Structures are given as structure tokens and as C-alpha cells.
Amino acid sequence: MKRHSDKPIKLTEVCLRDGSHVVRHQYSVEQVVTVAKALDDAGVPYIEVSHGDGLGGSTLQYGKSLVDEMTLIEEASKVCTNAKISTLLLPGIGTVHDLREAYKRGAGLVRVATHVTEADVAEQHISFARELGMEVHGFLMMAHSAPVSKLVEQANLMEQYGAGAVYITDSAGALLPSEVKERVKALRESLNIEIGFHAHNNLSLAVANTLVAIEEGATRIDGSVRCLGAGAGNTQTEVLVAVLNRMGMNLGIDLYKIMDIAEEIIGPILPSSQEIKKGSLTLGYAGVYSSFLLFAERAGKKYGIDPRDILIELGRRKAVGGQEDMIVDVTSELVKQKVEVINR
Amino acid sequence: MKRHSDKPIKLTEVCLRDGSHVVRHQYSVEQVVTVAKALDDAGVPYIEVSHGDGLGGSTLQYGKSLVDEMTLIEEASKVCTNAKISTLLLPGIGTVHDLREAYKRGAGLVRVATHVTEADVAEQHISFARELGMEVHGFLMMAHSAPVSKLVEQANLMEQYGAGAVYITDSAGALLPSEVKERVKALRESLNIEIGFHAHNNLSLAVANTLVAIEEGATRIDGSVRCLGAGAGNTQTEVLVAVLNRMGMNLGIDLYKIMDIAEEIIGPILPSSQEIKKGSLTLGYAGVYSSFLLFAERAGKKYGIDPRDILIELGRRKAVGGQEDMIVDVTSELVKQKVEVINR
């Protein structure tokens, strides 16, 4: 593969963070320690640990964690000899106090995540992470929902604040390969820092989109073993390692070991398979964040509207995480339209 | 998407043929009728029905079918108002007699399948299908294992025999997007008939490879609802329909209906999830046909060799379906190497 960067590709494994959604934030210390130790042994350079919604996410709204994430970070950190522990912070959910504590407990990297149009809320947290001496990256979520020029503008803000990399975060698994290509290219032409890519597999394109991102110059890649992440999961780490090996690229991750982790350690943790089913496919097709799914299904059932119609309309309106109450408006409008059709 | 062909894309649904492997050829008449009727109603133009290994595949060697495939073809044919029933024939397993019978029972299309280097064994069957007035396509299996020039030569033979299309059949799910691209391009520049592409998802690239094939000019595409096919399954039909809709391409298949078939009809038929697990990933990585997996696992267990090493070595030797006894040779050589290392 011809690449637009000569820097090595570094993978962040997110099954202990994005995967936290899948296990409803019920990771035990034993599970986290077992997974982190095995990933470290397999050569994974970064392992992300926190509530699925980042530091401070353990709330009634986002779901309470079984074990406090600071404990999980500390315990994971203790068993890793080479891997760096990463964590995630969404300003508004997590605070600088959480960040300091995570750092003390062993987190060496933080990704500060904002909606793709709201990078400015990350300034304080990025600066603070740098003061602490942490590695810090920006994470622009729902990257499919903004024009490329907006993405570039917001990524530049994150670079100005001091981020060492900016991620194109395809939170809804909605990006097509051509859309990934133009986004990475645009960032490459505008930024002086590393470019990252975080995929979801809702349209079965996570591995392929990751290859496109790498080709275009992204050097920071997220993966989740066994697709253990929200929606249909992320770029399946062991598959990506195999594909890149086939292409002659070595991530420094042992293929057999990462496959064994998928089969023997993550397999038994999976509450159910991470296949692409109706719900996750609709999310990717509509370009809607996974937190909307359950609400749309409930509203659909209550008012006799296909939840897919609700989700597609939410996608058109570019609904943002936290705006789940928009479902009520959308559903009542769809009901109204339906009644008008019947009475016509 | 810019395409190298202006012909419409036609999809063949293979869940009732390639998916037959997954259910160990135990499809009931009721299942086949229910699935075929729903696919027809959703607008799927071609529905393939037969034993997983094609007509005549119901043997002790390949696995006995619960119901005779001629009955399945006939019953599926009866309930379809628009869809054409397709069937598969591997010369050497199926015969011209089987083909005539399948035609009588309602099959309107046959794909005559050979190993990528052995198109010449298809001549008689392609000619005979044409005499019957059937639509007939060539199917070059394990297409990753031959040089592009060989593939082109063999595809040309099939065109000469009278095939209306030739498929690049990625039986092991081993092709990378760039490899699909160069193969479709080479066929496009050499053939006057349609080009088809049949993917497997072992490297999580089936949908992406299918998009590449369409872009390069393939117009005949295989899909399987819910990935119900050998290995990690095929191009997931409902996902492909969603992605192509997003790109503004209409296959004539109703998205909601095909999603509902995946969830409500195929879901309950699946014996287990079609995720990419250790076995199917290794097959794609090694480029080995799925029939080798079980044998390699058994041999590996017996002789203390990692089955992955056996499969990768089989891939290097370009083992062909039917050569499963090669596993004994490969395993003993690996054992010998291991002993030498220990004694060194």
C-alpha cells in the first residue's frame, strides 16, 4: 500500500472503553485486568479504559459503571509493561479533576472528544492534559454530519489548543470510503499533527474505511477486538492486523495472540454477537448515534411508526447526542403526516 | 459513484445455496419457500437454490441434504412471481442430467463453477445450459489464487463456451480491495460479456470489495442476507442495499423489506452468528477454502501443531477443494520442523 505518511501506524484498542457500552458498563476488575494484560502481551501500544461515554460517564443518564473507572485505569495500568493506558474525556461529562485523577492512576493518553462542530469546548481540557504531561488527542465525533470544510476548521482549533493528533470519529458508522478519503486528505493538507480515524462497522465498512484512512495518511487507528463497541462495533482489531499483515504492514501486534484474545478472552465477555442487525444497520444508514436507537424503537411502538423512519428523519436533522428528546417532535410529525395520508 | 458500466446491477441472493453450508444442508421445504417468497416480494431478481456444493452435492462426502434440491428448486420457483431461480453446478459433482432436471423444475439461470485454472471442464455444461435456453454464467472459484493473466485467460474460455457473464469468485474471502480492482479491470478490458463478483467476508471486506467491483464495471453481484454463507458468509445483502441506496444507486430491492427478512426470517434460521471468528479469519488470511478448516483443526489437535500454521502452509501451496488429504503431508512436515527445532 502506498501511504501519504511515513510515520508508523499506532493502534488504540477500545474494547475496554467503546466496548463498555456493550456490557452496559459492567466490566469487572478481573475482566479489565485480564484483557489489558493480554493486549499488552500481544503488543498493542495503547489500551483505552473508561466508561463508554468517557470519564465521569458513570451516571444514571449514561449508565452506572459496576466498578469506578479510576480503579479500572489503575488496575489496567499496573499490569501493562509496554502499552500506554488511554482514556476518553467528553467536556461536559468529564472534568479536569477527573483528568488529573486518571493521570495519577496511570492514564498516559487522553482523547478529548467533542461533537464535530464544537471543538472549542475542548480547549481547557487539552491544555490541562498537556500541563500534566499527558499525550493528548482531539476526537471529532459524528464527523459524517459536518461539511469537510467545517471538519478542517474544527481540527485546526484542536491543533491550536495543543492536540498531538485529531481523530475523524465516525460515531454512527455512516461514512462511505470516498467520504473517509476526502476527509483525511483535507486534514492532511491542513494540519501539522497526526491524523486519527475511529470507525464503526454499521455499514460493514470499518476495516475498509480504516485502510482508506491509512492510505490517505492517517497514522492513529482505533480498533476493537471482536468488534466490541457501540452499534455494530468498531474496526475489528484482529481482522485489521491480519489484513495489514497481508499487505506487508506490521503494527507490532502479534496476529495469533490477538486472534486468541478475540476467541478466548473477549468471546466469553460478549453478551451477544456483534453482527450487523436491523438496529445497527439503520443507525449507520441514517447517520444517527446509537443512543437514539432504544428511544426510537419505544416511540415507534407506542405511536405505530416504523422506528427506521424516525431514525432517518433524525439523521436528516443532524440530531446530536443528548438531543434524544427530539424523538418526540419527529415522531409526532410523522404521526401527523400518516393521519393526513389516511384522511386524504 | 462513477461506474465503468452503464448496465444495471443485478443481485443474486445466495443464502439458500451458499447458506446451505451453514445449516449443514438441512433446509426444509417450508424454510426455502418462506425465504424465497419474501425475497421475491422484496424485489430480489435472482435467488439461488441448491446444495451448497451445487447440484448433486448431496453426498456423504459433501453432506446429505435434508430435502432433495430438485424439490427445493421446484417449490421456490412456484412461489416467485418475478425472481428467477438460479442454481449452481460444479462439473464433476453435478451432471448435465441434473441440469436438465433443475431446468424442468424451474431454474432459469445456472452458474457453472470451476476452480480458477480449470474453466475447460465447464464447456459441456455451459453449452448444454444454452441449448436448454437457460441463462448461464461462469464462476471462477478461488480467484485470488491465480495470477490475473490466468484469470483473464480462463474467463475468456468461459465467454467462448457461451457464458453470459463470468464471476470472480473469492471463495476464501482472501482478496484485498486493490486485488479486486485489478481483476475486474483486467476482465473489463478483455471480455465482451458481463462481469460478476462473489465475495466472502472473512477479512471483513465483502461489502467494500463489492463496491470496488461495481465501480470497476462488475454488474452481477452476489449477496447473502445476514451473511448466511460459508466461512464468514458473503456480502451482507441488506447492508449492500443500504450502502448503495446511500450512494444513490437503486438495485430495485426494498430496503426495509430486505432488512426485515434478515431480522425476522433468516435470524431464526441461523444456527449461530456469522461473526468473523478465529477459524474464518484464518481461512481468509491463508486464502484457503472453508472445507479445510475442520480437517486442519483435527490434525492440529492430534499432532500438537497450531491449525493456523497448517492452513497458512496450505494457502502457500494453493491447495484446491478436494485436496483435503494434503493436510496430512503439511502437518507431518510441520511436525518434523518442530522436532528439528527442539533437537537443535
Side-chain angles (χ1 to χ4, degrees), chain B residues 248-313:
Chain B
M249 286 176 63
N250 185 350
L251 292 188
I253 299 172
D254 185 284
L255 176 60
Y256 282 10
K257 284 185 181 174
I258 197 82
M259 286 169 83
D260 289 340
I261 293 171
E263 192 83 2
E264 291 153 26
I265 301 179
I266 300 296
I269 292 175
L270 278 178
S272 67
S273 77
Q274 287 290 91
E275 292 161 288
I276 302 170
K277 294 185 195 162
K278 194 170 169 175
S280 49
L281 176 56
T282 304
L283 292 169
Y285 180 71
V288 173
Y289 190 65
S290 54
S291 59
F292 285 86
L293 181 60
L294 194 62
F295 294 101
E297 283 174 351
R298 277 190 202 143
K301 198 166 179 185
K302 193 165 172 189
Y303 297 103
I305 299 289
D306 193 314
R308 293 174 287 201
D309 288 332
I310 301 174
L311 290 164
I312 289 168
E313 185 54 31

Side-chain angles (χ1 to χ4, degrees), chain B residues 108-218:
Chain B
L109 164 65
V110 60
R111 282 116 58 96
V112 181
T114 76
H115 186 69
V116 62
T117 56
E118 313 204 344
D120 57 338
V121 303
E123 182 169 12
Q124 186 198 0
H125 304 80
I126 292 177
S127 306
F128 188 70
R130 281 181 62 107
E131 280 171 37
L132 288 170
M134 292 177 84
E135 196 176 356
V136 53
H137 296 164
F139 219 58
L140 290 169
M141 298 187 293
M142 298 292 277
H144 76 283
S145 66
V148 177
S149 56
K150 189 71 181 176
L151 175 75
V152 170
E153 172 200 289
Q154 300 289 304
N156 272 289
L157 284 180
M158 285 186 156
E159 178 172 10
Q160 286 168 34
Y161 304 152
V166 178
Y167 277 72
I168 299 165
T169 304
D170 184 15
S171 315
L175 285 173
L176 303 173
S178 59
E179 295 170 337
V180 174
K181 187 177 167 128
E182 69 173 330
R183 280 165 176 74
V184 178
K185 183 167 180 282
L187 291 193
R188 187 182 80 223
E189 288 167 354
S190 170
L191 298 181
N192 295 306
I193 53 177
E194 284 189 272
I195 300 161
F197 182 62
H198 173 97
H200 279 267
N201 200 38
N202 299 45
L203 296 179
S204 198
L205 293 169
V207 169
N209 281 347
T210 300
L211 297 180
V212 169
I214 290 174
E215 201 166 5
E216 285 300 315

Side-chain angles (χ1 to χ4, degrees), chain B residues 52-89:
Chain B
D53 296 293
L55 297 177
S58 176
T59 56
L60 282 177
Q61 189 184 354
Y62 296 107
K64 292 291 264 181
S65 300
L66 176 66
V67 179
D68 173 64
E69 60 204 347
M70 297 303 173
T71 306
L72 297 179
I73 288 171
E74 186 169 1
E75 296 299 325
S77 172
K78 277 187 203 162
V79 294
C80 289
T81 52
N82 293 304
K84 198 181 249 193
I85 299 299
S86 164
T87 196
L88 183 79
L89 186 146

Side-chain angles (χ1 to χ4, degrees), chain A residues 280-297:
Chain A
S280 49
L281 175 56
T282 305
L283 293 169
Y285 180 71
V288 173
Y289 190 65
S290 54
S291 59
F292 285 86
L293 181 62
L294 194 62
F295 294 101
E297 283 174 351

Side-chain angles (χ1 to χ4, degrees), chain A residues 174 246 256 260 276 278 309, chain B residues 174 236 246 256 260 278 309:
Chain A
R246 275 280 313 279
Y256 283 9
D260 289 340
I276 303 169
K278 193 170 169 173
D309 288 333
Chain B
Q236 195 169 343
R246 276 277 314 280
Y256 282 10
D260 289 340
K278 194 170 169 175
D309 288 332

